Amino acid sequence: MWNDPRTMSAISLTLILLSAAALLWAAGHWLVRLPSFAFRQVVVRDLHRADPAHVAAVIRRELKGTFFTMDLDGAQQALRQVPWVRNAGLHREWPDRLEVSIEEFEPFANWNESALVTRDGAVFVAPYDDDLPELAGRDDEAVAVIERFENWSQKLATLGLDVHAVRHSPRGSWQIEATDKSGGAQVIELGRDTADARLDRFASVYRKTAGALMRSGRQPEYIDLRYQNGLAIRTAAVAVSGTSAVSSKR
């Protein structure tokens, strides 16, 4: 092989090409990391609830590279950890500009007394002081709880009741908290099975039961619908049965 000029020429050419490629790679690796390609302008858009100082701190921490080398996916993941930030889009504009678009969570209700939930069922943690409905349940059933809240709110609004809480217990039992026109609070126990049917039955006799008590000056506080053929109402002073005989709970 060493006495073959053609073979030696091919080997030499290959080595030259490999050396040139390595030099080009090293030059490119050095070039894209030059300070002249660093970001000099960062624009953050659509920031309303998230803390601007927190967002700025994350961006400064993540601006480790240049226009060519910054880890945009890593920066996006870091921004998602900031309270209120649901998603973030990062877009580079030549030669030294970075645009950050923030998508924030929109709170629909308090969730399990320690978090918030959006209308589409995304659970998140962030500071919030305004009044919101109180919902509870497993995180993976947030959408179902929200749907029940909205449906039952519409149904009970026709009776003059304003629903402000719906809870689904770990054992599967449903509970509603509502206020009437006088501002009195009412807790409505629906149980585990056929909750919608029980609420329909309650709505059909409300004016003759809880409504009649209110008209007589007795405020219903607790309404138990977990009976097969009736209901029970507790007022501040006395407990009364519903319109039909009370049978065993299910």
Side-chain angles (χ1 to χ4, degrees):
M1 178 183 71
W2 303 111
N3 296 324
D4 185 349
R6 296 180 62 183
T7 301
M8 293 300 297
S9 295
I11 292 174
S12 298
L13 179 60
T14 300
L15 292 173
I16 291 171
L17 291 175
L18 290 174
S19 298
L23 287 172
L24 287 173
W25 179 86
H29 187 72
W30 169 79
L31 182 64
V32 298
R33 285 166 170 74
L34 286 175
S36 56
F37 291 116
F39 288 107
R40 306 189 189 284
Q41 185 179 11
V42 179
V43 178
V44 180
R45 302 188 184 279
D46 305 320
L47 195 63
H48 305 289
R49 291 191 172 93
D51 182 2
H54 194 166
V55 172
V58 171
I59 292 174
R60 284 195 299 270
R61 187 182 71 232
E62 295 299 322
L63 283 176
K64 299 175 182 177
T66 66
F67 185 92
F68 300 102
T69 63
M70 181 182 179
D71 181 6
L72 296 185
D73 290 338
Q76 184 183 55
Q77 292 297 325
L79 284 168
R80 285 176 179 168
Q81 305 307 311
V82 177
W84 288 110
V85 176
R86 183 168 191 170
N87 202 0
L90 289 84
H91 177 67
R92 290 174 287 206
E93 290 188 0
W94 179 261
D96 56 6
R97 178 185 171 98
L98 177 67
E99 281 205 4
V100 182
S101 298
I102 301 294
E103 178 190 355
E104 294 181 324
F105 287 103
E106 187 66 32
F108 176 75
N110 291 311
W111 183 253
N112 288 332
E113 300 182 350
S114 61
L116 297 162
V117 65
T118 65
R119 192 179 216 96
D120 61 355
V123 176
F124 65 101
V125 177
Y128 195 70
D129 294 329
D130 291 350
D131 290 335
L132 289 173
E134 298 286 339
L135 305 181
R138 297 196 316 268
D139 288 356
D140 62 354
E141 62 184 14
V143 171
V145 175
I146 291 169
E147 289 176 351
R148 288 288 179 91
F149 171 80
E150 294 184 319
N151 292 338
W152 292 347
S153 293
Q154 292 178 4
K155 185 172 297 183
L156 294 182
T158 63
L159 307 176
L161 297 177
D162 180 24
V163 175
H164 57 82
V166 170
R167 298 182 177 89
H168 195 205
S169 75
R171 298 182 61 184
S173 181
W174 291 93
Q175 183 189 79
I176 297 173
E177 288 187 18
T179 54
D180 54 44
K181 293 180 179 179
S182 68
Q186 299 183 14
V187 176
I188 304 172
E189 291 286 358
L190 292 163
R192 292 189 299 271
D193 303 321
T194 62
D196 288 297
R198 290 176 176 178
L199 194 63
D200 287 339
R201 183 183 65 193
F202 170 65
S204 68
V205 300
Y206 178 80
R207 302 191 189 281
K208 297 179 180 179
T209 54
L213 288 171
M214 290 177 60
R215 290 192 296 273
S216 69
R218 299 160 68 188
Q219 177 64 46
E221 290 184 340
Y222 183 83
I223 302 168
D224 193 344
L225 306 182
R226 296 173 296 175
Y227 296 92
Q228 185 173 358
N229 297 311
L231 57 86
I233 300 175
R234 186 182 71 222
T235 66
V238 67
V240 299
S241 295
T243 55
S244 59
V246 175
S247 61
S248 60
K249 297 179 183 179
R250 291 191 299 170

